[in-house]
Amino acid sequence: MDKICVIPGDGVGPEVMEACLEVLDATGVRLEYVRARAGLACYERCGSYLPEETLEAARESRACLLGAVQSPSDLRGYRSPIVELRKALELYANLRPFRCYTGRCLRDLDIVLVRENTEGLYSGIERVEEDRAVTERVVTRKATERIVRFAFEYALKYNRGRVTCLHKANVLESDRFFREIFFRVAEGYRVEAGEELVDAAALHLITDPGRFDVLVTANLYGDILSDELAGLTGGLGFAPSASIGEEHAVFEPVHGAAPDIAGKGAANPAAMILSGAMMLDHLGYAEERERIEQAVEETCRAGVLTRDAGGRCGTEEFAAEVVRNLG
Ligand code: ATP
């Protein structure tokens, strides 16, 4: 039985996590859950936002499921547990599939965003001087080759015809470097390789999303574009994600702890449920992933929707309907 480290976290995290586990169990896949703590509530209780025993549990599991953690920017000594977890487990690829489940999205697109997770403007090499602040944008050959390969391998595995590199190589030397490596790696794959300036892509995602299939890009660009893509496909409540490394993987919704609606049973659990489905696929249960995605789609299209999606049902009711639709 695969061991899964379950980190419910803060805010709506525990609520959407329960919904997700209910759906995963209903598929019939047997998993062993090891519960662990991280986030703001954990920090306030035990003085650590990512305790050593949580890291250990994550390292010893085949995958982690993470609800959401709150990261206040003004708390000294507190760093984002997600960023720390990604570093500790060397999760270099961030994978975010976007599609419309409700049939009522701004755009009916089907795009997978692959984002480099370890460097770029999030290199952490920064300094604040008296009259200026500097952040180094680091792009290494190793990390770029690794993420580009990941994108092409993904395209091959899931029969996706085109990988587009998003960059700003007309301005940034580091992006010229990224682009060159992209086209060199692309030569080894029988998948169409394209490119677009990231600002033009931000526009085309709205006006002509059909031109895109798999996107591969640097850390900050990916961070920004994934919120745009979530907005186009029904909002944060429907956006799942995976952070994947050579040995470990963490599956979590794109949204945060949403403290404004926490504890009310109102959160949309779709993003967490779909993240769980991605985890099943990662563990080798591709059919179960499809079953869950279909059940979520059926649920939404029948009008069973949470408030963020224009409906009236609660977190538990949505999950129960997904379980019913699993058959
Ligand atoms: P954080 O700092 O943890 O990212 P945040 O409030 O800035 O928190 P989110 O938690 O992603 O960012 O929430 C942004 C908005 O989207 C909030 O108004 C929240 O209520 C809404 N939201 C986020 N996730 C969900 C969800 N699963 N269901 C319904 N609404 C959600």
Side-chain angles (χ1 to χ4, degrees):
M1 213 187 317
D2 289 316
K3 203 190 264 188
I4 307 300
C5 177
V6 173
I7 308 173
D10 300 312
V12 296
E15 299 166 53
V16 295
M17 183 63 79
E18 282 320 302
C20 172
L21 298 185
E22 193 187 323
V23 173
L24 292 184
D25 289 343
T27 63
V29 174
R30 295 188 61 217
L31 301 168
E32 181 190 345
Y33 301 126
V34 179
R35 292 191 178 253
R37 299 181 305 163
L40 186 59
C42 174
Y43 178 81
E44 285 166 352
R45 229 169 285 142
C46 70
S48 168
Y49 50 84
L50 186 62
E52 192 49 45
E53 63 259 28
T54 298
L55 269 177
E56 231 164 80
R59 285 200 184 98
E60 285 169 7
S61 302
R62 265 208 76 195
C64 288
L65 276 176
L66 193 136
V69 286
Q70 213 171 328
S71 293
S73 38
D74 52 357
L75 192 59
R76 279 191 70 179
Y78 188 98
R79 305 190 60 182
S80 162
I82 297 175
V83 174
E84 295 289 300
L85 197 60
R86 283 177 190 158
K87 260 192 218 149
L89 302 180
E90 294 178 62
L91 309 176
Y92 65 87
N94 192 256
L95 185 62
R96 297 181 172 186
F98 296 92
R99 51 176 273 218
C100 179
Y101 283 92
T102 60
R104 299 197 261 163
C105 304
L106 291 173
R107 293 290 175 272
D108 189 11
L109 50 78
D110 179 5
I111 289 174
V112 178
L113 182 74
V114 176
R115 163 185 163 198
E116 206 292 319
N117 228 1
T118 63
E119 51 182 36
L121 266 175
Y122 295 1
S123 67
I125 306 172
E126 303 188 283
R127 60 185 184 276
V128 179
E129 296 165 3
E130 191 162 335
D131 294 316
R132 61 178 202 157
V134 180
T135 298
E136 274 184 41
R137 186 173 196 267
V138 179
V139 178
T140 65
R141 184 176 302 281
K142 182 176 167 223
T144 306
E145 280 178 354
R146 193 169 59 173
I147 196 68
V148 172
R149 246 188 221 112
F150 182 94
F152 278 100
E153 292 292 335
Y154 182 92
L156 276 183
K157 183 171 174 197
Y158 293 95
N159 286 320
R160 289 185 168 261
R162 184 177 169 84
V163 179
T164 306
C165 174
L166 305 183
H167 58 70
K168 197 72 186 159
N170 57 337
V171 178
L172 298 172
E173 203 56 57
S174 49
D175 269 2
R176 224 164 281 155
F177 185 78
F178 190 96
R179 176 188 177 276
E180 269 174 36
I181 293 171
F182 169 81
F183 281 109
R184 201 161 322 121
V185 171
E187 285 168 14
Y189 291 91
R190 291 166 70 99
V191 175
E192 197 186 328
E195 64 176 318
E196 193 151 315
L197 294 177
V198 66
D199 44 348
L203 176 95
H204 289 141
L205 284 174
I206 295 166
T207 59
D208 182 22
R211 66 167 68 201
F212 299 121
D213 192 345
V214 175
L215 304 175
V216 62
T217 194
N219 216 333
L220 178 67
Y221 302 152
D223 199 359
I224 296 169
L225 291 180
S226 59
D227 271 33
E228 179 182 348
L229 278 158
L232 291 172
T233 49
L236 285 169
F238 291 99
S241 87
S243 292
I244 296 177
E246 301 294 346
E247 289 176 36
H248 303 282
V250 175
F251 299 82
E252 55 173 320
V254 169
H255 65 73
D260 52 334
I261 56 163
K264 296 180 180 156
N268 184 351
M272 183 75 240
I273 292 170
L274 294 167
S275 304
M278 288 174 79
M279 182 188 76
L280 290 187
D281 192 349
H282 181 78
L283 299 176
Y285 302 103
E287 224 173 89
E288 281 73 9
R289 174 199 184 151
E290 261 174 50
R291 278 178 63 209
I292 293 178
E293 289 179 349
Q294 272 170 19
V296 168
E297 187 163 356
E298 240 177 271
T299 302
C300 294
R301 296 202 179 206
V304 180
L305 296 163
T306 44
R307 282 177 195 278
D308 57 301
R312 273 194 250 153
C313 86
T315 311
E316 283 175 22
E317 197 184 335
F318 183 91
E321 192 60 23
V322 173
V323 167
R324 244 192 307 278
N325 284 327
L326 272 176

